[in-house]
Amino acid sequence: TVTSNIQACPSGSCVSLKIDVPDGNDFLYPGQYVQVLPSDAAADTKPLFLAIASAPTGTPPKPVRPSAKKTSEADSAAGPDEVSSPTPATWEFLVKKTDNNAWLTSLPAQATVSVSQPMGSGFPIADNIEGFKYDFPTQNILLFATGSGIAPIRSAIESRQLNVARPDSGGRTCTLYYGVRTPDDMSYVSKFAEWEEMGVQVVPVVSQPDVPCESGAKWGGRTGYVQNALEEDGVPIPRNSGALLCGVKGMTESVKSMLMEAGVFEGRCLTNF
């Protein structure tokens, strides 16, 4: 059931949806996505694939150290864990309006839709950011998003699975580069202060700052593309850095190439698909 559908940014190019689901236990990792269909969809209707923007509502299993694998294998042989009972949850989605999804972006509150269980394994944070694959512990995390690609990045931030330290505490640092076309296309602006308090430095980047905004906003921040901002700032401690990326293909490929050239391990440049 759709519990709310509101404009997500001043331009109205995206909407923010809240949908109640009967069981949220299988949403374990930021970056997981669902298939959404009209509740009365015909058999040949193509579903929309949407990344969940809110924090995971299930509890992921604890990562297993290599030395503990034998114990876990023995536990598996002893039988399955108890199955948890369904726990209702509310999931949030950020949806860019297109001709193909007007049926969803225009839905009123209390409308019903068909939502699949979460799919994909999300961003493999536990294995590659926290895991024991590399001799260099992760001390710095870089987040890259364009447009509605901020949705799964928001999920990662608010999941606290990134283990980012509060500002000036000397722990793991984190910077978010968030690219949009105009200031009016920027979603979640109201959350930036909250994310900064959690230790995430937010760097918004606008590619077309001179386009007149209906809101009257004038842009005085970073301009160009996300990859330009990364090039200007460089990558501190690349061997001890990891990255999460979501957005247009040109951005993710360009940024990944720049990170690896700087010395970031390829396995620490994470996407959610």
Side-chain angles (χ1 to χ4, degrees), residues 87-260:
T87 307
T90 301
W91 292 342
E92 292 185 48
F93 300 90
L94 182 67
V95 189
K96 182 180 179 180
K97 289 181 178 177
T98 67
D99 293 340
N100 296 332
N101 66 16
W103 67 266
L104 178 64
T105 57
S106 60
L107 278 181
Q110 302 311 311
T112 56
V113 290
S114 171
V115 179
S116 72
Q117 281 298 315
M119 306 168 81
S121 50
F123 295 109
I125 295 166
D127 287 344
N128 294 284
I129 302 293
E130 305 297 350
F132 304 94
K133 280 187 182 178
Y134 307 98
D135 293 333
F136 299 84
T138 308
Q139 296 170 343
N140 176 50
I141 292 182
L142 300 171
L143 307 173
F144 300 92
T146 52
S148 58
I150 191 65
I153 298 293
R154 172 198 160 191
S155 179
I157 293 169
E158 297 183 3
S159 73
R160 299 190 182 268
Q161 291 182 24
L162 295 174
N163 291 317
V164 174
R166 287 189 171 277
D168 305 319
S169 67
R172 181 181 288 172
T173 54
C174 182
T175 303
L176 163 64
Y177 292 94
Y178 175 23
V180 292
R181 195 175 69 89
T182 74
D184 276 4
D185 292 318
M186 201 170 292
S187 301
Y188 300 141
V189 173
S190 62
K191 288 186 165 287
F192 290 177
E194 177 190 327
W195 294 349
E196 295 256 3
E197 276 182 25
M198 293 165 66
V200 179
Q201 181 189 354
V202 181
V203 181
V205 185
V206 171
S207 63
Q208 296 182 23
D210 299 327
V211 172
C213 291
E214 282 187 35
S215 69
K218 303 287 185 194
W219 187 247
R222 304 284 287 271
T223 60
Y225 295 104
V226 163
Q227 48 269 49
N228 303 137
L230 174 64
E231 193 170 19
E232 289 163 9
D233 294 352
V235 183
I237 52 172
R239 281 305 203 209
N240 297 92
S241 293
L244 276 61
L245 307 93
C246 188
V248 292
K249 191 176 179 183
M251 181 279 284
T252 57
E253 288 181 349
S254 176
V255 166
K256 184 176 178 181
S257 170
M258 291 166 72
L259 291 172
M260 288 169 57

